[in-house]
């Protein structure tokens, strides 16, 4: 099945798993009233013209068409309002019937937190759960049981200017040493290798998690779970190496020296203007880059010492059914349609994905992402690691890393120590 991507959407479901990115504005759609006998209330985060806004319009139309005795009422809120509003409704027993949750432990509305608190329904009896890829199933489960449906996987990567690489006879690097050599070659040619908008400090995650996907998790995929038992710490060598390697790009002048004064949109524009050869960002930023006047490439940052490059790929937000809902069976039927591979509801749900779908067998329709497909299909990918941390751990990482590159007075070891201390406070 060929999927037509809604690349005009900014894939809020993917972006919001980066807790620090929750600054997107938006407008409230139809306000959800108190649930009536045949009223389905749906609550989501995003913007009206974004992927979730478009989906909610289709969802309302299609469900009301198929279930004429039901009315669907939707509420769409900006990320920074959504979590507060949802928690308020849950705590007062006014839960929407259907609402977005984040994978694993990501943010204040994670599937693990919601399932543990008993707020969302066990979906073990869904007909088509096995039509989803393993990562999507695992990331939306708690204690081995499924609790939410996510349509998309967001990938962090390295956008690069293919023309500049070719003009300077630079082959696509396959490991860290080759990557550093490529940066040095670009710098020697008078070209800024990498532009970053670290004034929007969440962008630090976009590079850091790509390094971690190669330096931390291939050796110990259970590293984050072991943080909670004390068997691992951020001060272990794997994370110190990750921070050190990412810092090396700044120390050697490969990243724009004024990155702390640039926001993400400015960094993207400088990349578009060919003022730099690379940008660490996500597949979700394709709409901002697709009109580039050069051949656009997207690869995983080769932060591997040897062997294959791993990528950072995160399951996006997904829909869960409230355990308080009076329409659970009907909504499970709707979920079965969303995952049946052929219905109109399935088409509308699948279209909320950007580059990678969680539904098995959906072909990638945008070739710009082709270079990361082999790693994705081979299982050489790890979730964005902040999904496994208490919200706020990544904020501490960003703050200390910014201080380190801004002042030169903080070491990678001290960044790691600050992350461990914050983790201990929050866990």
């Amino acid at each position: 099945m060929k999927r037509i991507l809604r690349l005009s959407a900014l894939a809020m479901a993917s972006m919001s798993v980066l807790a620090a990115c929750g600054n997107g504005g938006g407008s409230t759609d139809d306000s959800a009233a108190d649930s009536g006998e045949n009223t389905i209330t749906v609550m989501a985060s995003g913007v009206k013209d974004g992927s979730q806004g478009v989906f909610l319009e289709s969802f309302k139309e299609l469900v009301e068409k198929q279930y004429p005795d039901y009315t669907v009422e939707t509420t769409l809120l900006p990320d920074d309002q959504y979590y507060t509003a949802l928690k308020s409704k849950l705590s007062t027993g006014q839960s929407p019937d259907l609402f977005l949750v984040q994978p694993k432990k990501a943010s204040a509305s994670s599937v693990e937190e919601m399932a543990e608190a008993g707020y969302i329904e066990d979906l073990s009896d869904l007909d088509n759960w096995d039509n989803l890829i393993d990562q999507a199933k695992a990331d939306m489960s708690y204690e081995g049981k499924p609790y939410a449906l996510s349509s998309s996987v967001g990938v962090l990567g390295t956008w690069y200017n293919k023309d500049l690489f070719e003009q300077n006879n630079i082959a696509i690097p396959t490991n860290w040493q080759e990557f550093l050599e490529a940066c040095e070659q670009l710098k020697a040619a008078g070209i800024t290798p990498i532009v970053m908008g670290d004034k929007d400090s969440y962008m630090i995650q976009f590079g850091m998690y790509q390094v971690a996907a190669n330096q931390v998790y291939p050796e110990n995929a259970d590293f984050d779970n072991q943080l909670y038992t004390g068997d691992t710490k951020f001060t272990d060598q794997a994370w110190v190496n990750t921070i050190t390697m990412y810092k090396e790009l700044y120390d050697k002048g490969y990243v724009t020296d004024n990155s702390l004064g640039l926001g993400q949109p400015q960094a993207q524009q400088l990349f578009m203007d060919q003022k730099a050869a690379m940008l660490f960002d996500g597949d979700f930023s394709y709409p901002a880059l697709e009109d580039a006047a050069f051949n656009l490439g997207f690869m995983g940052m080769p932060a591997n010492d040897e062997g294959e490059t791993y990528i950072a790929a995160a399951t996006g937000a997904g829909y869960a059914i409230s355990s308080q809902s009076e329409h659970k069976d009907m909504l499970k039927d709707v979920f079965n349609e969303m995952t049946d591979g052929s219905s109109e509801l399935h088409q509308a749900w699948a279209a909320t994905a950007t580059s990678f779908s969680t539904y098995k067998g959906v072909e990638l329709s945008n070739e710009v992402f082709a270079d990361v497909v082999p790693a994705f299909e081979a299982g050489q990918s790890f979730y964005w690691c902040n999904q496994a941390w208490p919200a706020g751990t990544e904020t501490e990482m960003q703050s200390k890393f910014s201080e380190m590159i801004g002042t030169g007075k903080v070491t990678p070891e001290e960044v790691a120590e600050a992350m461990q201390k914050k983790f201990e406070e929050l866990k």
Side-chain angles (χ1 to χ4, degrees):
M1 179 185 64
K2 198 72 172 176
R3 177 167 49 93
I4 304 301
L5 299 178
R6 295 183 185 272
L7 285 170
S8 60
L10 291 180
M12 297 302 295
S14 293
M15 280 290 285
S16 56
V17 294
L18 291 170
C21 295
N23 59 351
S27 58
T28 304
D29 224 351
D30 303 328
S31 296
D34 292 339
S35 179
E37 183 178 351
N38 290 315
T39 300
I40 300 297
T41 54
V42 186
M43 191 171 175
S45 62
V47 293
K48 186 173 183 179
D49 295 331
S51 57
Q52 295 306 325
V54 172
F55 172 69
L56 289 186
E57 289 182 8
S58 298
F59 182 86
K60 175 179 172 65
E61 177 185 348
L62 294 172
V63 171
E64 289 181 350
K65 175 183 175 182
Q66 184 158 340
Y67 299 87
D69 293 336
Y70 284 84
T71 298
V72 176
E73 296 181 348
T74 65
T75 299
L76 185 67
L77 296 172
D79 287 359
D80 55 355
Q81 297 176 26
Y82 175 75
Y83 306 117
T84 301
L86 177 62
K87 281 298 185 74
S88 176
K89 286 184 175 293
L90 291 172
S91 64
T92 57
Q94 299 177 354
S95 170
D97 295 293
L98 205 63
F99 55 91
L100 276 181
V101 297
Q102 299 295 333
K104 299 176 78 69
K105 295 180 175 67
S107 89
S109 65
S110 71
V111 67
E112 292 191 14
E113 181 177 337
M114 293 292 165
E116 185 177 16
Y119 286 135
I120 54 180
E121 185 71 5
D122 179 356
L123 303 179
S124 295
D125 54 351
L126 287 188
D127 294 338
N128 303 317
W129 180 248
D130 286 336
N131 288 347
L132 304 183
I133 62 173
D134 290 343
Q135 179 177 347
K137 292 192 293 185
D139 291 352
M140 286 301 186
S141 294
Y142 175 68
E143 294 186 342
K145 297 179 180 180
Y147 282 91
L149 289 180
S150 171
S151 66
S152 66
V153 176
V155 178
L156 297 178
T158 303
W159 292 99
Y160 68 101
N161 186 324
K162 289 186 175 182
D163 295 344
L164 287 178
F165 270 55
E166 291 174 6
Q167 290 164 15
N168 289 275
N169 298 314
I170 298 173
I172 303 305
T174 62
N175 57 51
W176 186 245
Q177 187 57 43
E178 290 179 4
F179 185 68
L180 294 179
E181 290 170 359
C183 288
E184 187 61 36
Q185 194 169 338
L186 287 164
K187 184 181 176 184
I191 301 167
T192 300
I194 303 159
V195 61
M196 288 298 289
D198 294 329
K199 181 178 180 181
D200 290 329
S201 60
Y202 58 78
M203 287 200 78
I204 290 168
Q205 298 174 81
F206 296 173
M208 190 81 81
Y209 296 167
Q210 292 189 72
V211 181
N214 288 278
Q215 290 294 316
V216 179
Y217 302 101
E219 292 296 323
N220 184 4
D222 207 36
F223 184 95
D224 290 324
N225 289 331
Q226 292 175 3
L227 284 172
Y228 292 85
T229 63
D231 293 323
T232 59
K233 296 181 183 296
F234 286 115
T235 51
D236 292 352
Q237 197 59 48
W239 257 101
V240 173
N241 285 346
T242 294
I243 299 165
T244 301
M245 288 172 65
Y246 196 42
K247 176 178 180 285
E248 184 176 9
L249 299 178
Y250 291 80
D251 290 345
K252 292 187 172 179
Y254 298 154
V255 180
T256 42
D257 57 9
N258 63 332
S259 69
L260 291 173
L262 300 174
Q264 182 182 21
Q266 293 168 292
Q268 291 174 343
Q269 189 59 53
L270 287 169
F271 175 69
M272 290 280 284
D273 292 340
Q274 304 194 62
K275 302 296 185 183
M278 290 179 282
L279 169 72
F280 302 142
D281 210 317
D283 63 319
F284 43 77
S285 288
Y286 178 72
L289 306 174
E290 62 179 322
D291 294 329
F294 53 85
N295 290 318
L296 187 63
F298 185 82
M299 63 178 171
M301 187 202 299
N304 48 304
D305 299 316
E306 57 185 7
E308 301 296 327
T309 297
Y310 282 72
I311 59 174
T315 303
Y319 284 95
I321 299 172
S322 170
S323 58
Q324 301 172 16
S325 175
E326 298 178 357
H327 312 292
K328 297 173 190 174
D329 291 340
M330 176 268 193
L331 288 172
K332 287 183 180 180
D333 287 341
V334 169
F335 273 17
N336 282 330
E337 276 198 64
M338 287 164 59
T339 52
D340 68 5
S342 60
S343 67
E344 289 183 291
L345 263 173
H346 169 78
Q347 299 293 340
W349 174 72
T352 61
T354 49
S355 55
F356 293 92
S357 173
T358 61
Y359 194 84
K360 293 178 181 177
V362 175
E363 295 180 8
L364 187 72
S365 65
N366 193 313
E367 289 304 310
V368 75
F369 300 114
D371 288 346
V372 297
V373 169
F376 185 73
E377 291 183 342
Q380 293 163 196
S381 66
F382 289 99
Y383 54 87
W384 300 346
C385 34
N386 70 306
Q387 289 187 339
W389 307 338
T393 307
E394 77 288 349
T395 308
E396 185 70 9
M397 177 190 75
Q398 294 160 197
S399 175
K400 296 302 288 187
F401 190 88
S402 295
E403 184 181 351
M404 179 172 63
I405 62 175
T407 68
K409 297 180 179 179
V410 177
T411 67
E413 289 79 6
E414 288 171 331
V415 175
E417 288 168 5
M419 291 171 66
Q420 182 64 31
K421 181 179 179 181
K422 179 59 66 174
F423 176 86
E424 294 290 346
E425 292 174 0
L426 295 171
K427 74 171 184 178

